[in-house]
Amino acid sequence: MSQVTIKDIEVLNCEYGKNTIKFLRLHREGKKHFVKEVEVCAHLRLTSPQEYLEGNNSLVIPTDTIKNIVLVLAKKNGIPSLEQFAIDICNHFMTTFCQVAYVKTYVQEVPWQRLHEDGVPHIHSFICVPDGIRFCEAEQCRNGPLVVFAGIKDLKLMKTTQSGFEGFYKNEHTTLPERHDRILCGELFCKWSYGECKDFDFNCIWKKIRECILEAFAGPPDCGEYSPSYQKTINSIQMLVLSRVSQVQVIEAVLNNTFYNVVDMKNLGLDNDKEVLVPVEAPYGSCTCTLGRKKFFEAQGQMMRDERKCQFGLAAAQGN
Amino acid sequence: MSQVTIKDIEVLNCEYGKNTIKFLRLHREGKKHFVKEVEVCAHLRLTSPQEYLEGNNSLVIPTDTIKNIVLVLAKKNGIPSLEQFAIDICNHFMTTFCQVAYVKTYVQEVPWQRLHEDGVPHIHSFICVPDGIRFCEAEQCRNGPLVVFAGIKDLKLMKTTQSGFEGFYKNEHTTLPERHDRILCGELFCKWSYGECKDFDFNCIWKKIRECILEAFAGPPDCGEYSPSYQKTINSIQMLVLSRVSQVQVIEAVLNNTFYNVVDMKNLGLDNDKEVLVPVEAPYGSCTCTLGRKKFFEAQGQMMRDERKCQFGLAAAQGN
Amino acid sequence: MSQVTIKDIEVLNCEYGKNTIKFLRLHREGKKHFVKEVEVCAHLRLTSPQEYLEGNNSLVIPTDTIKNIVLVLAKKNGIPSLEQFAIDICNHFMTTFCQVAYVKTYVQEVPWQRLHEDGVPHIHSFICVPDGIRFCEAEQCRNGPLVVFAGIKDLKLMKTTQSGFEGFYKNEHTTLPERHDRILCGELFCKWSYGECKDFDFNCIWKKIRECILEAFAGPPDCGEYSPSYQKTINSIQMLVLSRVSQVQVIEAVLNNTFYNVVDMKNLGLDNDKEVLVPVEAPYGSCTCTLGRKKFFEAQGQMMRDERKCQFGLAAAQGN
Amino acid sequence: MSQVTIKDIEVLNCEYGKNTIKFLRLHREGKKHFVKEVEVCAHLRLTSPQEYLEGNNSLVIPTDTIKNIVLVLAKKNGIPSLEQFAIDICNHFMTTFCQVAYVKTYVQEVPWQRLHEDGVPHIHSFICVPDGIRFCEAEQCRNGPLVVFAGIKDLKLMKTTQSGFEGFYKNEHTTLPERHDRILCGELFCKWSYGECKDFDFNCIWKKIRECILEAFAGPPDCGEYSPSYQKTINSIQMLVLSRVSQVQVIEAVLNNTFYNVVDMKNLGLDNDKEVLVPVEAPYGSCTCTLGRKKFFEAQGQMMRDERKCQFGLAAAQGN
């Protein structure tokens, strides 16, 4: 077929940036040390795609410069919270470079915790405890609002009872038996957006949301709470967060669940009363839901709703 | 704050499905064997989110049933191409279950190649050669068109010259020197969408696109072609695909590049003329562009354009 | 060259087994649940290599049977400790199958911890907290002693001061400056062997050793302790374990260290007083030492010493 | 218990070094470029463990210097073969540093292959094709011989018939049925040692051994060869290598096999004649054998035999 030229095509998107900018920000108060180790991604869309289409680099801020700026901001501002740092990055690019049409930044924390010896906190020693990774995102279009997301990922939870799955749709391809007592286990991903962020204590809010997630997943410590499906558990988590944390406007949750198969030991002459179970890691079920406050969208309008749909709900789009 | 109830919230998205359904489809012609090993993800959105909001499972097709259906379709239809198999899955769910509002499927291939001994193909032995992974996606909303995407990922390419980066924007945070002869190395991800798929030879098209990618990346075998930036190389790949493969309507390319740092050996008393270089794996630069044919969008309208923007361009959204 | 036959060769080793046998052992006391999820490898050497050399399978216990036995033992005996379970497996194979010449088993724990809500332990909910993975090994030759090893791996620790590296050997290839205040950060692997295991409380001992490791790494909470090298820190850990835990006869420690590079910000107009540092993940330094009690080897003799050398000290042998 | 001091303990092993030293060695002949990208680990044992026991660093060659030396050798000598480069490193450390008692080096290749366009080789473009990774090791004790190993890892092979497993040992824990037609699929690791290396063409030998492995695994292209067990297939591979490649003295092979489970579709109303199979990735079977030439050990004596046993046969020791 004939040659395609630039006038035949339309640029739907183009952006670039630096990924996995890893660094440690060390803060000292006398002999006491505080660490924040993060991994940052920062992406830009420029006002013209000329570097893609024409090989004209004159507007391109090199990814090496992007990295330098991230490090300089960390040096100057510290990292009071991941979210504030992500906001600082967005602000810097928007105010410094008029050729930047859009900036997006992602910040993820390396989960260092202060070591304790017999309950006494150590002044400069830390241990890595990855029981759920904190992250955030901030993005801004020129002349648009700064949108801030926060989240937790790689949070693996299990409850060994108070979970079932019954009353589902059945046809000739159904072989799954109904179950009213099974293990519910999965890896949770939650991401939420804030409304206009004025004077938020992001660290405090994040901690509160993490507690909501654990509480809604597990139910009361002395008895738990029955989960009729992974889906309903997701919803319980979301509803509790929305009830307790007014700053959250939209919340997405994805639960990738590991099924535990009770080993049939009849052939081996034993009766296995759900004592020995084998995890099935592939294939695995995945469910996701994104909820928003009606009031928020009524105030913001349909465009915001569409934007949020595109910003969330990517679980299936990512494929794996 | 006060309890949030279902009437206060809006469901922006909810879906669920089975991921990493791995299986091998073995086909025999006499003593000659043919294998297709794949990994399938299949996700559904139902007409009501009642299982999330109310714990009512009556419409839910269990993910175990989804898995069964995928395996049954593989048994019945075989896998003539990844794309046809993805289409078969979409069609099955849409025509069988009226409660399905949307179906999306992702199929990825395990890159088995037939073994050869002294040039003779073996009738039943294979070797895994992961030099770029083929995948596809198909998705359909009820009453909407079936959209088919295909792609290649994890394709690692390098050229050791004919690459530079000059004339970029500079300010006080710029420390990168200009370079007119550097190594260009990266991992490429390409995904494209087809228009209406009638009688496509998906295997042949995919192979042709892979060849375009390699040719545009490398340039002529005897001299190569100068790349002024990663961005321009991406564009060259996209333009060549659009020129040669009329079935492609939109194409996204993401290049995650590994920078090779020439080791400074002056302190070690040696002059290193770009002979010993060290790869810098973190941080890494990433650039992405999505191009569409103007004619396609003029025919399809703005809504399609917005949809495609949301279906592609996820590199930054994914964060890492 | 001419055909090689069985009489020309010598079998230096042959063994086989099942790896990554993953299962969850659930134990209930009234409404309170206890979980132990493990991953087991079990390998056998048979009295004859006839299945390798002659294709005679008559002595081969299928790896599927090995898996069944592991699950049956878990059902019957529970998992009071990883070590006791590894011993149970060894005992079972040695006493049941006269064709087994050697058995080796490896057990690794999935680090589930009971969830707490406001300090109250939950009766059946758990969170995965991988801050160092517990494992053990047990092995036995027919007519030989049962040897039990335990260990911790993937333990990531950091101290942000009280670490230096000075007075090292220098020549024309040395470019590293001396440092008296740097970050010491690494991933620790420790493995130790017990003597004759009679009535050991393996869980209690393991916990005590973990505490020794953390204490020796970090030093006193209010001031730390200066480390002149990674090597000396390893030694401090080993010496403290040997001092406090009489059951440990030999202890190996491997520290894979991540260097943190202080970012030079002079070109960026800033003075970086070790506030912003970049981790260097490749290449990384690795050091390892294996210490044994003299008394133990004096009692056991040279053969035991050689065996232990072969059982430990594999860090370099593994290559990466 | 009482404090343990240095005089109470014995150092069974201590060593240290630099791992994953990654670099690219670019060689140009006119406009034609040749690349060799490798990952090197180099470990040393010093004549005294004083840096571990006493914190005396005076003999310690910093790992940073080790890295510098590896890069300098690459610059000066190039990488004619992985094995020659590993030998060069050993020689350098042994001849330069009298405090080095033992040196071990591991070199692994990044599998770049020259790109071809329509059969024409490109002068400077490459694609990464990881269909089995080449590696080698070299080690030397002061006053001892230099020992060279080479190998291939991550080689995934499959044959879809001509494999069975029958006549194995059965008892009450056996549930595996006998099979005379199953899929044989696995990841192969092979490592072998050479005798005294004089004027070996290591690249040619390695290529020949790879061909032997494929041929022995698959059998004749037109019919294959029946494998009665994974173990026997391992042996066939080893015997063919020893028959064809006289330089190989000892050869270890490890096969980690993936079982493919024929999906039972009776409940789904279908008869599945081994057309749809599901891979079982955990647990997986593993078998390993190490064979040596009798003549070699008769010449070298028992000590060499013991050393080789310790240098090979690590599959079970590594646990996973």
Side-chain angles (χ1 to χ4, degrees):
Chain A
M1 62 183 293
S2 62
Q3 183 69 24
V4 167
T5 64
I6 288 176
K7 67 178 195 305
D8 303 319
I9 57 102
E10 186 174 327
V11 178
L12 278 81
N13 182 43
C14 71
E15 54 181 75
Y16 75 99
K18 203 75 159 185
N19 287 350
T20 61
I21 307 171
K22 301 178 183 190
F23 66 92
L24 178 84
R25 181 63 169 87
L26 178 57
H27 171 71
R28 302 177 187 87
E29 296 185 1
K31 289 177 64 180
K32 191 164 184 185
H33 286 200
F34 300 82
V35 296
K36 192 70 83 179
E37 185 168 351
V38 292
E39 190 177 310
V40 175
C41 305
H43 278 237
L44 308 175
R45 191 183 310 136
L46 302 182
T47 47
S48 159
Q50 64 191 28
E51 80 275 24
Y52 284 93
L53 303 185
E54 299 156 30
N56 178 341
N57 295 332
S58 62
L59 297 180
V60 179
I61 305 153
T63 63
D64 187 73
T65 306
I66 295 175
K67 178 204 69 181
N68 285 344
I69 289 170
V70 167
L71 296 176
V72 162
L73 291 173
K75 156 73 187 160
K76 284 184 173 170
N77 303 359
I79 307 184
S81 68
L82 302 192
E83 292 82 0
Q84 189 55 54
F85 188 61
I87 292 168
D88 289 356
I89 296 172
C90 286
N91 283 341
H92 180 91
F93 281 98
M94 272 300 159
T95 58
T96 309
F97 302 100
C98 59
Q99 74 265 46
V100 170
Y102 167 79
V103 55
K104 167 152 199 166
T105 188
Y106 172 87
V107 185
Q108 175 182 310
E109 190 172 11
V110 180
W112 293 111
Q113 287 188 6
R114 189 174 296 281
L115 263 185
H116 287 69
E117 291 180 19
D118 293 326
V120 182
H122 199 286
I123 54 165
H124 61 239
S125 293
F126 304 88
I127 181 169
C128 188
V129 185
D131 58 345
I133 300 295
R134 181 173 171 183
F135 70 90
C136 78
E137 295 175 19
E139 62 174 344
Q140 187 166 23
C141 287
R142 191 158 293 279
N143 303 322
L146 180 76
V147 190
V148 180
F149 304 84
I152 186 169
K153 64 176 193 172
D154 302 341
L155 175 61
K156 289 178 198 155
L157 299 172
M158 172 190 282
K159 45 188 265 191
T160 51
T161 187
Q162 288 282 50
S163 162
F165 187 47
E166 300 175 286
F168 47 77
Y169 188 88
K170 296 176 192 69
N171 73 354
E172 76 272 21
H173 292 128
T174 311
T175 54
L176 187 77
E178 306 215 323
R179 282 210 171 80
H180 65 278
D181 186 18
R182 61 172 186 175
I183 286 182
L184 192 163
C185 180
E187 190 173 300
L188 197 68
F189 169 95
C190 274
K191 177 181 161 185
W192 52 88
S193 73
Y194 295 115
E196 208 185 332
C197 304
K198 31 183 182 190
D199 305 327
F200 282 7
D201 182 340
F202 289 111
N203 294 331
C204 173
I205 294 172
W206 189 88
K207 207 176 150 196
K208 195 170 164 190
I209 292 174
R210 186 178 186 275
E211 279 165 15
C212 288
I213 292 170
L214 299 183
E215 180 182 331
F217 177 86
D222 60 336
C223 60
E225 186 171 321
Y226 185 73
S227 160
S229 67
Y230 287 91
Q231 285 90 333
K232 190 69 181 66
T233 290
I234 279 183
N235 184 253
S236 301
I237 289 169
Q238 294 174 310
M239 295 304 277
L240 192 64
V241 171
L242 290 169
S243 289
R244 292 236 186 107
V245 188
S246 61
Q247 295 91 343
V248 172
Q249 300 301 334
V250 181
I251 179 165
E252 178 192 21
V254 183
L255 185 58
N256 290 329
N257 49 286
T258 300
F259 183 71
Y260 279 77
N261 201 16
V262 179
V263 180
D264 185 347
M265 293 190 159
K266 281 198 199 95
N267 288 342
L268 299 165
L270 290 166
D271 182 37
N272 179 16
D273 180 23
K274 289 180 276 189
E275 294 161 285
V276 181
L277 303 101
V278 169
V280 180
E281 294 178 339
Y284 66 91
S286 177
C287 49
T288 180
C289 186
T290 307
L291 294 186
R293 293 184 197 275
K294 270 191 187 148
K295 278 189 300 186
F296 175 73
F297 289 114
E298 283 160 11
Q300 304 281 341
Q302 180 63 33
M303 212 184 71
M304 175 65 84
R305 188 182 280 109
D306 288 347
E307 264 182 34
R308 283 299 175 281
K309 279 192 189 179
C310 204
Q311 287 158 335
F312 287 104
L314 300 175
Q318 296 175 347
N320 46 11
Chain B
M1 66 184 289
S2 64
Q3 184 69 24
V4 167
T5 65
I6 289 177
K7 67 179 193 307
D8 303 319
I9 58 101
E10 186 173 328
V11 178
L12 278 81
N13 182 44
C14 70
E15 53 182 77
Y16 75 99
K18 204 75 160 185
N19 287 352
T20 63
I21 308 172
K22 301 178 183 190
F23 65 92
L24 178 85
R25 181 62 169 87
L26 178 57
H27 171 71
R28 302 177 187 89
E29 295 186 2
K31 288 176 67 180
K32 190 164 185 186
H33 286 199
F34 301 82
V35 296
K36 191 70 84 178
E37 185 168 349
V38 292
E39 191 177 310
V40 176
C41 305
H43 279 238
L44 308 176
R45 190 182 311 134
L46 302 182
T47 47
S48 159
Q50 64 191 27
E51 79 276 25
Y52 284 93
L53 304 185
E54 300 157 29
N56 178 341
N57 295 332
S58 62
L59 296 180
V60 179
I61 304 154
T63 63
D64 186 74
T65 305
I66 294 174
K67 178 204 68 182
N68 285 344
I69 288 169
V70 168
L71 297 175
V72 162
L73 291 173
K75 156 72 187 162
K76 285 185 173 169
N77 302 0
I79 307 185
S81 68
L82 302 192
E83 292 82 358
Q84 189 55 54
F85 188 60
I87 293 169
D88 288 356
I89 296 172
C90 285
N91 283 341
H92 180 92
F93 280 98
M94 272 299 161
T95 57
T96 309
F97 302 100
C98 59
Q99 74 265 45
V100 170
Y102 167 79
V103 55
K104 167 153 200 165
T105 187
Y106 171 88
V107 184
Q108 175 181 311
E109 191 172 11
V110 181
W112 293 112
Q113 288 187 7
R114 190 173 296 280
L115 263 185
H116 286 70
E117 293 180 18
D118 292 326
V120 182
H122 199 285
I123 54 166
H124 61 240
S125 293
F126 304 87
I127 181 170
C128 188
V129 185
D131 58 346
I133 301 294
R134 180 174 171 182
F135 71 90
C136 79
E137 296 176 18
E139 62 175 345
Q140 187 165 23
C141 287
R142 191 157 295 279
N143 303 322
L146 181 74
V147 190
V148 180
F149 306 83
I152 186 169
K153 63 176 195 174
D154 302 342
L155 175 61
K156 288 177 197 156
L157 299 172
M158 171 189 282
K159 44 188 264 189
T160 52
T161 187
Q162 288 282 50
S163 163
F165 187 47
E166 300 174 286
F168 46 78
Y169 188 89
K170 296 176 193 66
N171 73 356
E172 76 272 20
H173 292 128
T174 311
T175 54
L176 187 77
E178 304 215 324
R179 282 210 172 81
H180 65 278
D181 186 17
R182 59 171 187 177
I183 286 182
L184 192 163
C185 180
E187 189 173 300
L188 196 68
F189 170 95
C190 275
K191 178 180 160 185
W192 53 88
S193 73
Y194 295 115
E196 208 184 330
C197 305
K198 30 185 182 190
D199 304 327
F200 281 8
D201 183 340
F202 290 111
N203 294 330
C204 175
I205 295 172
W206 189 88
K207 208 177 149 194
K208 196 170 164 190
I209 293 175
R210 185 179 187 276
E211 279 165 15
C212 289
I213 292 170
L214 299 183
E215 181 183 331
F217 177 86
D222 59 337
C223 60
E225 187 172 322
Y226 185 71
S227 161
S229 66
Y230 287 92
Q231 285 91 331
K232 190 67 182 67
T233 290
I234 279 183
N235 185 253
S236 301
I237 290 169
Q238 293 174 311
M239 295 304 278
L240 192 64
V241 172
L242 289 169
S243 289
R244 294 236 185 105
V245 189
S246 61
Q247 296 91 342
V248 171
Q249 300 303 334
V250 181
I251 179 165
E252 178 192 21
V254 184
L255 186 57
N256 291 328
N257 49 286
T258 299
F259 183 72
Y260 280 76
N261 202 16
V262 180
V263 180
D264 184 348
M265 293 190 159
K266 281 198 201 96
N267 288 341
L268 299 164
L270 291 165
D271 181 38
N272 179 16
D273 181 23
K274 288 180 275 189
E275 295 160 286
V276 181
L277 304 100
V278 169
V280 180
E281 294 178 337
Y284 65 92
S286 178
C287 50
T288 180
C289 186
T290 307
L291 295 186
R293 293 184 196 277
K294 270 191 187 147
K295 278 189 301 185
F296 176 73
F297 289 115
E298 283 159 14
Q300 303 282 341
Q302 179 64 34
M303 210 183 73
M304 175 65 83
R305 190 181 280 107
D306 290 346
E307 262 182 35
R308 283 298 174 281
K309 280 193 189 178
C310 204
Q311 286 158 335
F312 287 104
L314 300 176
Q318 295 175 349
N320 48 12
Chain C
M1 65 184 291
S2 62
Q3 183 69 23
V4 167
T5 64
I6 289 177
K7 68 180 192 306
D8 302 319
I9 58 101
E10 186 174 327
V11 178
L12 277 82
N13 182 43
C14 71
E15 53 182 77
Y16 75 99
K18 203 75 161 186
N19 287 351
T20 61
I21 308 171
K22 299 179 183 190
F23 65 92
L24 178 85
R25 181 62 169 87
L26 178 58
H27 171 71
R28 302 177 186 89
E29 295 186 2
K31 290 176 66 180
K32 191 164 185 185
H33 286 200
F34 301 81
V35 295
K36 192 71 83 178
E37 185 168 351
V38 292
E39 191 177 310
V40 175
C41 304
H43 279 238
L44 307 176
R45 190 184 310 135
L46 302 183
T47 47
S48 160
Q50 64 191 28
E51 79 277 23
Y52 284 93
L53 303 185
E54 300 158 30
N56 178 342
N57 295 332
S58 62
L59 296 181
V60 179
I61 304 154
T63 63
D64 187 75
T65 305
I66 294 174
K67 178 203 70 182
N68 285 343
I69 289 169
V70 167
L71 296 176
V72 162
L73 290 173
K75 156 71 187 162
K76 284 185 173 170
N77 302 359
I79 306 184
S81 69
L82 302 192
E83 292 83 357
Q84 189 55 54
F85 188 61
I87 292 169
D88 288 357
I89 296 171
C90 285
N91 283 340
H92 180 91
F93 280 98
M94 272 299 160
T95 57
T96 308
F97 302 100
C98 59
Q99 74 265 45
V100 170
Y102 166 79
V103 55
K104 167 152 197 165
T105 187
Y106 172 88
V107 184
Q108 175 181 311
E109 191 172 10
V110 180
W112 292 112
Q113 287 187 7
R114 190 173 296 280
L115 263 185
H116 286 70
E117 292 179 18
D118 293 326
V120 183
H122 199 286
I123 54 166
H124 62 239
S125 292
F126 304 88
I127 181 169
C128 188
V129 185
D131 57 346
I133 301 294
R134 180 174 171 183
F135 70 90
C136 78
E137 296 176 18
E139 62 174 343
Q140 187 166 23
C141 287
R142 190 156 295 278
N143 304 322
L146 180 75
V147 189
V148 179
F149 304 84
I152 187 169
K153 64 176 194 172
D154 302 342
L155 175 62
K156 289 178 197 155
L157 299 172
M158 172 190 281
K159 44 188 266 190
T160 51
T161 187
Q162 289 281 51
S163 162
F165 187 48
E166 299 174 285
F168 47 78
Y169 188 88
K170 296 176 193 68
N171 72 355
E172 76 272 20
H173 292 128
T174 310
T175 54
L176 188 77
E178 305 216 324
R179 281 209 172 81
H180 65 277
D181 185 18
R182 59 172 188 177
I183 286 182
L184 192 164
C185 179
E187 190 173 300
L188 197 67
F189 170 94
C190 274
K191 177 180 161 186
W192 52 87
S193 73
Y194 295 115
E196 207 184 332
C197 304
K198 30 184 182 190
D199 304 328
F200 281 8
D201 182 340
F202 289 111
N203 295 330
C204 174
I205 294 172
W206 189 88
K207 209 177 149 195
K208 195 170 165 190
I209 292 174
R210 186 179 187 275
E211 280 165 15
C212 289
I213 293 170
L214 299 183
E215 181 183 331
F217 176 87
D222 60 336
C223 59
E225 186 171 322
Y226 185 72
S227 161
S229 66
Y230 287 91
Q231 285 90 332
K232 190 69 181 68
T233 291
I234 279 184
N235 185 254
S236 301
I237 289 169
Q238 292 174 311
M239 295 304 277
L240 192 64
V241 171
L242 289 169
S243 289
R244 293 237 186 105
V245 188
S246 61
Q247 294 91 343
V248 172
Q249 300 301 334
V250 181
I251 179 165
E252 178 192 21
V254 184
L255 185 58
N256 291 328
N257 49 286
T258 300
F259 183 71
Y260 280 77
N261 202 16
V262 179
V263 180
D264 185 348
M265 294 190 159
K266 280 196 201 98
N267 288 341
L268 299 164
L270 290 166
D271 181 38
N272 179 17
D273 180 23
K274 287 179 277 190
E275 294 161 287
V276 180
L277 304 101
V278 168
V280 179
E281 294 178 339
Y284 65 91
S286 177
C287 50
T288 180
C289 186
T290 307
L291 295 186
R293 293 184 196 275
K294 270 192 186 146
K295 278 188 300 185
F296 176 71
F297 288 114
E298 284 159 12
Q300 303 282 342
Q302 180 63 33
M303 211 183 72
M304 174 66 83
R305 189 180 280 109
D306 289 347
E307 264 182 33
R308 283 298 174 281
K309 280 193 190 179
C310 204
Q311 287 158 336
F312 286 105
L314 300 176
Q318 294 177 349
N320 47 11
Chain D
M1 64 183 292
S2 61
Q3 184 69 23
V4 167
T5 64
I6 289 177
K7 67 179 195 306
D8 302 320
I9 57 103
E10 186 174 326
V11 179
L12 278 82
N13 182 43
C14 70
E15 55 182 75
Y16 75 99
K18 204 75 159 185
N19 287 351
T20 62
I21 307 171
K22 301 179 183 190
F23 66 92
L24 178 84
R25 181 62 169 87
L26 178 56
H27 171 71
R28 302 178 187 88
E29 296 186 2
K31 289 176 66 180
K32 190 163 185 186
H33 287 199
F34 300 82
V35 295
K36 192 70 84 178
E37 184 168 351
V38 292
E39 190 177 311
V40 176
C41 306
H43 278 237
L44 308 175
R45 191 183 310 135
L46 303 181
T47 47
S48 159
Q50 64 192 26
E51 80 275 25
Y52 284 93
L53 303 185
E54 299 156 31
N56 178 341
N57 295 331
S58 62
L59 297 180
V60 180
I61 305 154
T63 64
D64 187 72
T65 305
I66 294 174
K67 179 204 69 182
N68 285 345
I69 289 170
V70 167
L71 297 175
V72 162
L73 291 173
K75 157 71 186 160
K76 286 185 173 170
N77 303 359
I79 307 185
S81 67
L82 303 192
E83 293 82 358
Q84 188 55 54
F85 188 61
I87 292 170
D88 288 357
I89 297 172
C90 285
N91 284 341
H92 180 92
F93 280 98
M94 271 299 159
T95 57
T96 308
F97 302 100
C98 59
Q99 73 265 46
V100 170
Y102 166 80
V103 55
K104 167 153 201 167
T105 187
Y106 171 89
V107 184
Q108 175 182 310
E109 191 173 10
V110 181
W112 294 110
Q113 288 187 7
R114 190 173 296 280
L115 263 185
H116 287 70
E117 290 180 19
D118 291 327
V120 182
H122 199 286
I123 54 165
H124 61 238
S125 293
F126 304 88
I127 180 170
C128 188
V129 185
D131 58 345
I133 301 295
R134 180 174 170 182
F135 70 90
C136 78
E137 296 175 18
E139 62 175 345
Q140 188 166 21
C141 287
R142 190 158 293 279
N143 305 320
L146 180 75
V147 190
V148 179
F149 304 84
I152 186 169
K153 63 176 194 173
D154 302 342
L155 175 61
K156 289 178 197 157
L157 299 172
M158 172 190 283
K159 44 189 265 190
T160 52
T161 187
Q162 288 283 51
S163 163
F165 187 47
E166 299 175 284
F168 47 76
Y169 188 88
K170 296 174 193 70
N171 74 354
E172 76 272 20
H173 292 127
T174 311
T175 54
L176 187 78
E178 304 215 324
R179 281 208 172 81
H180 65 279
D181 186 18
R182 60 171 187 176
I183 285 181
L184 192 163
C185 180
E187 189 173 300
L188 197 67
F189 170 96
C190 275
K191 177 181 162 185
W192 52 89
S193 73
Y194 295 114
E196 209 184 331
C197 304
K198 29 183 183 190
D199 305 327
F200 282 6
D201 182 339
F202 290 112
N203 294 330
C204 175
I205 295 172
W206 189 88
K207 209 177 148 194
K208 195 170 166 190
I209 293 175
R210 186 179 187 275
E211 278 165 16
C212 288
I213 292 170
L214 299 183
E215 180 181 332
F217 177 86
D222 60 337
C223 60
E225 187 172 322
Y226 184 72
S227 161
S229 66
Y230 288 91
Q231 285 91 332
K232 190 69 181 67
T233 291
I234 280 184
N235 185 253
S236 302
I237 290 169
Q238 293 174 310
M239 295 304 278
L240 193 64
V241 172
L242 290 169
S243 289
R244 295 236 185 106
V245 188
S246 62
Q247 295 91 343
V248 171
Q249 300 302 334
V250 181
I251 179 165
E252 177 192 23
V254 183
L255 185 58
N256 291 328
N257 50 286
T258 300
F259 183 72
Y260 280 77
N261 201 16
V262 179
V263 180
D264 185 348
M265 293 190 158
K266 283 199 198 94
N267 287 341
L268 299 164
L270 290 165
D271 182 38
N272 178 16
D273 180 24
K274 288 179 276 188
E275 294 161 286
V276 181
L277 303 101
V278 169
V280 179
E281 294 178 338
Y284 66 91
S286 177
C287 49
T288 180
C289 186
T290 307
L291 294 186
R293 292 184 197 276
K294 270 192 186 148
K295 279 189 299 187
F296 176 72
F297 290 113
E298 284 160 12
Q300 303 281 342
Q302 179 63 33
M303 211 184 72
M304 175 65 84
R305 189 180 281 109
D306 289 347
E307 263 182 35
R308 283 298 175 281
K309 279 194 190 179
C310 204
Q311 286 158 335
F312 286 105
L314 301 176
Q318 295 176 350
N320 47 10

